């Protein structure tokens, strides 16, 4: 290959309509004027960006366009190499008429990795049928501050939960032949003051013990691509950090797939970070750090890279290293097979009945009942007033990376192409329902609040749907770029809620949100609170199923809900001085803790026992938990195991999740849950930055949430301090036996 042909394989093109430039700041400027198509494909092309995910195309038309482009790419280079095709798939394939699944925070709320693996396989199968090769998901950033706009895209605030659910999605996607792309390596979610792209203040211990484990788990699950973070850590942008992207990711963790640049992040080394004088230097820095492919369109990895090579800023062998990885992955995908041909147009149902049914199951499983005074489930025949900014719009169900909220907002008048009902519509199927807006998500008038109050006085129960509008970069209250200064409900929603509580009518709050909000001033007066984290196209049905009692709610919180006065939002992973103490007047105790969730009927907890009192620092312990269902309906419990290490050589969280298992029990059924816990799960990064297991007393706290501990098992780790290698156990083995 000539140098030009090599470099062409490291680039991409986003053939985008200028009218879509609002999808991201600086989009049109970053891509620049597109050259003639024949020039784009001349000599080859690495990737095609978002053929389906840029504009509303009928599936058959999208397939026709993609096949035509692939034929041009093949004809445009001497070797007949097609492009690798990628799309977003954070809430399902981001394409018009394609099934919209719940947002990732809902995946985590299911505490059900097997279900998420099934969803990943369904999404991957759809992508494969269209000729797509790579999906830009999952997001494995561990939440550190709930004010960050992208909380909705994450899997929560605990690294084990993020890893279990994220790696399950990877197994599903990769099992369908789609390259899963892990985002965003690493530390993106820990930016200062939760501001998007802001610098990250993080030491090596937090990086190793909180941020890395989900990526390690997902790499073991078979992920073949990783995407860098936008941020800098201690002054070094991730896209230019060889220590991070090569020494750590490749040499230590053994990753041998492709390292994909997050959109525009190579150019950002010049324009935002100021560590490169021009695009050529930016390209050299990124390649030397370990990035293989520039997305979404060739900018720095084109002529600027060739100029940098001529100037001696980068060596040809560095380009060859990236090229080998790119071509090897294309080979794995069959793109270098002599008989390869593009996928031809076909009539593909992107929202097949089985996909909708799966979306409903995930939504139902993710609903979290936060509080209930007995008002729920709703009584048959109850007269309902449904109020609030999220009550009568299908958009309330959708996250920021769903196609309607990400793309269709730039195509006014185009319908979503799917049946997506609102809360009001779903409840009207079972009850007499009246409706009043109250206030929009942001804004509103006194008159609108007064009208909602009048309607609530005449009802048996008031269901108020509150929360977020998903969007990007200021076009919403949750989503990429929509960071907030406080965790108060947006706009005048709290004012509306107070007015409704003053009517005397029982008020059930339904939260359709992308992050947790402070309800501490109202929670004692609310009849019930149900939380849904953007539950997807079947979300309204799932909400109605829970409110009416057809479904026994069983979701659990993947993020803590704050209480009033917590001026700096924090997660449950806090040391003693990060919790309520006598040395600060700020009480960070959560209103609803990590792992919390109620049900209409719950499991009966039995004995909890460990196989030994002495846990070898190089051994394992078995923990057995007994459950039973003594109710008259099916129940589902999430057994959670937390490790408490009272004395360690470095400051540790008071407790941290080391095991979780969802257990479904039919009426009268009994279960024994056996966790086999390697001592590796008690390891941490020591003072010399080596991961170790230390001897000493520990506790295994077993419960229904991080604050609802049902049993504590005291153990002692015995033996010498042991260094733990990268091949360590990252999760327990879990067996559920039912009778």
């Amino acid at each position: 290959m000539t140098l030009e042909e090599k470099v062409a394989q490291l680039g991409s093109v986003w053939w985008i309509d200028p009218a879509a430039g609002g999808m991201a700041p600086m989009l049109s400027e970053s891509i620049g004027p597109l050259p003639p198509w024949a020039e784009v494909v001349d000599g080859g092309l690495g990737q095609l960006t978002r053929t389906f995910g840029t504009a509303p195309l009928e599936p058959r038309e999208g397939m026709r366009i993609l096949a035509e482009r692939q034929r041009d790419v093949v004809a445009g280079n001497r070797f007949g190499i097609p492009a690798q095709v990628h799309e977003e798939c954070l809430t399902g394939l981001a394409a018009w008429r394609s099934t919209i699944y719940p947002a990732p925070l809902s995946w985590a709320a299911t505490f059900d990795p097997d279900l998420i693996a099934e969803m990943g396989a369904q999404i991957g199968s759809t992508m494969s049928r269209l000729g797509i090769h790579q999906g830009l998901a999952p997001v494995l950033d561990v939440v550190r501050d709930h004010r960050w706009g992208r909380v909705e895209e994450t899997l929560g605030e605990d690294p084990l939960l993020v890893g279990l659910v994220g790696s399950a999605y990877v197994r599903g996607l990769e099992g369908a032949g789609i390259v899963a792309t892990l985002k965003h390596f690493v530390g993106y979610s820990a930016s200062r003051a939760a501001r998007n792209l802001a610098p990250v203040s993080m030491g090596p211990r937090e990086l190793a013990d909180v941020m890395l484990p989900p990526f390690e788990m997902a790499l073991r699950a078979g992920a073949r691509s990783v995407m860098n973070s936008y941020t800098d850590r201690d002054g070094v942008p991730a896209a230019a950090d060889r220590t991070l992207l090569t020494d750590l990711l490749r040499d230590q963790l053994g990753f041998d797939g492709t390292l994909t640049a997050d959109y525009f992040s190579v150019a950002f080394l010049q324009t935002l970070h100021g560590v490169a004088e021009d695009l050529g230097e930016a390209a050299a820095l990124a390649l030397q750090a370990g990035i293989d492919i520039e997305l979404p369109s060739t900018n720095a990895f084109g002529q600027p890279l060739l100029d940098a090579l001529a100037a001696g800023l980068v060596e040809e062998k560095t380009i060859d290293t990236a090229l080998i990885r790119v071509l090897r992955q294309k080979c794995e995908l069959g793109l270098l097979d002599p008989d390869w041909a593009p996928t031809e147009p076909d009539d593909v149902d992107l929202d097949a009945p089985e996909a909708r049914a799966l979306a409903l199951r995930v939504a139902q499983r993710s609903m979290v009942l936060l509080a209930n005074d007995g008002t729920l489930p709703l009584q048959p025949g109850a007269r309902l007033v449904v109020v609030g900014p999220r009550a009568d719009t299908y958009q309330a169900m959708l996250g920021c990376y769903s196609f309607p909220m990400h793309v269709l907002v730039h195509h006014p008048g185009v319908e979503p192409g799917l049946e997506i009902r609102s809360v009001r519509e779903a409840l009207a199927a079972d009850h007499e329902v009246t409706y009043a807006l109250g206030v929009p998500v942001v804004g509103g008038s006194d008159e609108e609040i007064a009208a909602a109050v009048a309607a609530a006085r005449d009802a048996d129960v008031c269901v108020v749907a509150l929360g977020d509008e998903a969007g990007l970069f200021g076009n919403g209250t949750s989503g990429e770029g929509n960071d907030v200064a406080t965790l108060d409900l947006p706009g005048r929603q709290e004012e509306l809620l107070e007015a409704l509580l003053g009517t005397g009518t029982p008020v059930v709050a339904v939260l359709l949100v992308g992050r947790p909000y402070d309800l501490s001033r109202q929670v004692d007066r609310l009849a019930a609170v149900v939380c849904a984290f953007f539950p997807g196209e079947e979300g309204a049905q799932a909400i109605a199923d829970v409110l009416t009692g057809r479904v026994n709610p069983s979701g659990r919180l993947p993020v803590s809900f704050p209480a009033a006065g917590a001026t700096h939002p924090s997660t449950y992973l806090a040391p003693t001085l990060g919790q309520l103490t006598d040395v600060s007047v700020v009480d960070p105790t959560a209103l609803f803790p990590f792992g919390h969730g109620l049900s209409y009927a719950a499991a009966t907890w039995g004995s909890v026992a460990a196989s030994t009192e002495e846990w070898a620092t190089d051994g394992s312990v078995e923990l057995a938990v007994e459950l039973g269902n003594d109710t008259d309906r099916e129940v589902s419990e999430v057994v959670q195991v937390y490790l408490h290490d009272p004395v360690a050589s470095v400051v540790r969280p008071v407790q941290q999740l080391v095991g979780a298992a969802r257990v479904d029990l039919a009426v009268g059924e009994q279960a024994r849950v056996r966790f086999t816990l390697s001592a590796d799960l008690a390891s941490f990064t020591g003072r010399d930055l080596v991961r170790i297991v230390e001897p000493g007393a520990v506790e295994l706290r077993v419960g229904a949430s991080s604050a609802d501990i049902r049993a504590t098992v005291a153990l002692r780790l015995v033996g010498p301090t042991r260094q733990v290698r990268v091949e360590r156990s990252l999760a327990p083995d879990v067996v559920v036996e039912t009778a």
Side-chain angles (χ1 to χ4, degrees):
M1 283 180 145
T2 66
L3 270 175
E4 289 77 9
E5 288 169 333
K6 292 177 180 181
V7 168
Q9 289 296 320
L10 311 185
S12 59
V13 66
W14 193 358
W15 203 256
I16 192 167
D17 185 332
M23 277 195 277
M26 303 174 287
L27 179 58
S28 297
E29 300 93 320
S30 296
I31 292 178
L34 288 168
W37 176 248
E39 184 178 327
V40 169
V41 299
D42 183 29
L45 183 65
Q47 292 224 2
L48 282 165
T49 295
R50 291 175 63 172
T51 302
F52 293 90
T54 299
L57 297 172
E58 291 287 356
R60 191 180 186 94
E61 176 64 6
M63 296 177 77
R64 184 195 66 77
I65 292 172
L66 179 55
E68 182 179 281
R69 290 177 179 172
Q70 284 283 43
R71 280 190 285 270
D72 290 342
V73 172
V74 168
N77 69 93
R78 292 187 298 139
F79 307 97
I81 302 173
Q84 191 163 321
V85 179
H86 77 264
E87 296 283 351
E88 298 283 0
C89 58
L90 200 62
T91 61
L93 171 62
W96 197 44
R97 299 189 183 278
S98 186
T99 303
I100 303 172
Y101 293 88
L105 206 55
S106 281
W107 311 353
T110 70
F111 272 74
D112 192 341
D114 290 342
L115 180 60
I116 303 310
E118 183 180 350
M119 182 191 72
Q122 180 70 43
I123 293 169
S125 175
T126 298
M127 296 171 75
S128 182
R129 291 182 65 190
L130 297 177
I132 299 164
H133 309 113
Q134 181 172 356
L136 304 188
V139 171
L140 299 181
D141 299 306
V142 180
V143 174
R144 302 300 277 167
D145 189 326
H146 303 109
R147 297 173 299 178
W148 192 48
R150 304 191 78 167
V151 168
E152 65 170 81
E153 300 179 46
T154 75
L155 297 165
E157 66 186 43
D158 179 85
L160 177 65
L161 179 62
V162 174
L164 289 172
V165 177
S167 58
Y169 183 73
V170 167
R171 286 196 301 274
L173 210 61
E174 289 279 0
I178 299 299
V179 175
T181 306
L182 310 182
K183 304 194 297 191
H184 305 84
F185 198 80
V186 64
Y188 185 28
S189 54
S191 55
R192 293 178 189 162
R195 295 183 65 250
N196 197 40
L197 272 69
V200 169
S201 299
M202 178 188 297
R205 188 168 292 104
E206 183 179 0
L207 181 80
D209 291 353
V210 178
M211 293 299 178
L212 278 182
F215 286 92
E216 295 179 76
M217 294 175 73
L219 290 174
R220 292 189 192 180
R224 286 180 285 172
S225 186
V226 173
M227 178 176 279
N228 66 282
S229 166
Y230 281 128
T231 56
D232 77 79
R233 185 172 63 91
D234 198 23
V236 181
D241 192 344
R242 183 175 177 84
T243 299
L244 188 69
L245 301 183
T246 296
D247 298 348
L248 174 58
L249 178 60
R250 294 197 183 279
D251 296 344
Q252 292 184 39
L253 300 185
F255 175 62
D256 63 358
T258 56
L259 220 163
T260 306
D262 203 350
Y263 284 16
F264 318 116
S265 63
V266 178
F268 285 170
L269 295 176
Q270 176 198 9
T271 59
L272 296 184
H273 293 297
V275 296
E277 185 175 1
D278 53 30
L279 287 175
E281 186 177 1
L285 287 172
L287 267 174
Q288 289 164 346
I291 287 178
D292 302 315
I293 303 165
E294 182 181 21
L295 298 182
S297 272
T298 302
N299 195 353
F301 279 20
Q303 188 59 48
L305 176 55
L306 293 170
D307 294 342
L309 182 68
L313 296 180
V314 64
E315 296 181 338
E316 185 174 351
K317 67 179 181 181
T318 305
I319 293 174
D320 290 344
T321 298
L323 174 67
I324 289 168
R325 290 193 283 251
V326 168
L327 292 179
R328 184 174 59 209
Q329 190 161 99
K330 286 190 174 185
C331 184
E332 291 171 357
L333 292 166
L335 296 177
L336 303 187
D337 293 351
D339 59 349
W340 180 89
T343 302
E344 296 298 337
D346 195 6
D347 292 321
V348 178
D349 184 356
L350 299 186
D351 190 35
E354 61 270 22
R356 287 197 74 98
L358 180 56
L360 176 60
R361 285 168 53 206
V362 177
Q364 290 170 333
R365 202 81 153 164
S366 70
M367 294 290 149
V368 186
L369 179 61
L370 297 178
N372 185 24
D373 69 359
T375 299
L376 294 183
L378 297 170
Q379 294 301 306
R383 294 176 300 115
L384 305 182
V385 59
V386 180
V387 177
R390 303 285 80 193
D392 198 32
T393 171
Y394 78 85
Q395 293 180 334
M397 305 298 148
L398 309 181
C400 72
Y401 267 75
S402 66
F403 191 82
M405 308 311 291
H406 198 89
V407 178
L408 284 190
V409 290
H410 306 290
H411 299 268
V414 178
E415 295 297 317
L418 302 164
E419 180 188 349
I420 311 174
R421 293 191 295 166
S422 68
V423 172
R424 180 190 65 79
E425 290 169 327
L427 286 174
D430 300 295
H431 289 83
E432 175 189 339
V433 170
T434 58
Y435 165 73
L437 171 65
V439 294
V441 173
V442 176
S445 66
D446 293 346
E447 291 76 16
E448 289 172 314
I449 294 176
V453 167
R457 287 198 177 103
D458 293 332
D460 296 325
V461 178
C462 172
V463 176
V464 56
L466 304 169
D468 284 309
E469 180 174 1
L472 286 87
F473 307 109
N475 295 316
T477 60
S478 174
E480 187 173 359
N482 292 317
D483 316 313
V484 295
T486 75
L487 292 176
D488 296 329
L489 283 165
R492 300 184 68 181
Q493 293 185 64
E494 184 172 345
E495 188 177 345
L496 169 65
L497 185 56
E498 284 289 351
L500 295 171
L501 288 168
T503 64
T505 300
V507 177
V508 174
V510 175
L511 304 178
L512 287 149
V513 292
R515 62 163 66 85
Y517 284 105
D518 179 7
L519 296 176
S520 60
R521 291 173 288 274
Q522 296 84 28
V523 66
D524 291 340
R525 291 171 286 148
L526 285 164
V529 184
V530 174
C531 180
F533 296 110
F534 293 134
E537 66 180 38
E538 288 288 349
Q541 183 62 53
I543 290 168
D545 288 343
V546 165
L547 293 182
T548 60
R550 284 190 297 269
V551 166
N552 187 19
S554 61
R556 300 294 185 265
L557 285 180
V559 286
S560 308
F561 267 65
T567 55
H568 177 72
S570 60
T571 72
Y572 92 100
L573 286 177
T576 298
L577 287 174
Q579 303 191 358
L580 177 62
T581 67
D582 294 332
V583 298
S584 173
V585 297
V586 176
D587 183 359
T589 304
L591 178 65
F592 298 116
F594 174 84
H596 171 74
L598 306 177
S599 299
Y600 300 142
T604 301
W605 287 66
S607 66
V608 176
S611 58
T612 180
E613 293 181 359
E614 293 192 341
W615 186 3
T617 56
D618 61 353
S620 296
V621 64
E622 184 175 290
L623 186 72
V625 182
E626 294 185 347
L627 299 173
N629 181 4
D630 301 325
T631 75
D632 59 358
R633 66 182 300 171
E634 180 180 295
V635 304
S636 188
E637 182 62 88
V638 178
V639 179
Q640 300 165 45
V641 183
Y642 296 87
L643 177 77
H644 170 59
D645 186 354
V647 179
S649 55
V650 300
V651 175
R652 303 279 294 129
V654 170
Q655 60 181 0
Q656 183 167 350
L657 189 72
V658 293
R662 182 183 270 274
V663 183
D664 296 324
L665 294 170
V667 175
E669 194 169 33
Q670 306 292 313
R672 174 185 287 262
V673 187
R674 291 191 290 110
F675 296 88
T676 301
L677 299 148
S678 166
D680 292 353
L681 297 173
S683 68
F684 58 88
T685 302
R687 292 191 181 191
D688 59 359
L689 301 183
V690 173
R691 180 170 290 279
I692 56 173
V693 179
E694 284 185 339
V698 295
E699 292 178 355
L700 294 177
R701 299 175 175 180
V702 185
S705 82
S706 58
D708 183 6
I709 301 300
R710 305 298 176 89
T712 298
V713 178
L715 300 172
R716 177 167 288 278
L717 282 160
V718 295
T721 296
R722 178 174 65 93
Q723 291 189 6
V724 180
R725 298 172 60 86
V726 70
E727 298 86 3
R728 73 188 188 281
S729 174
L730 292 166
D733 293 327
V734 181
V735 176
V736 179
E737 303 164 336
T738 58

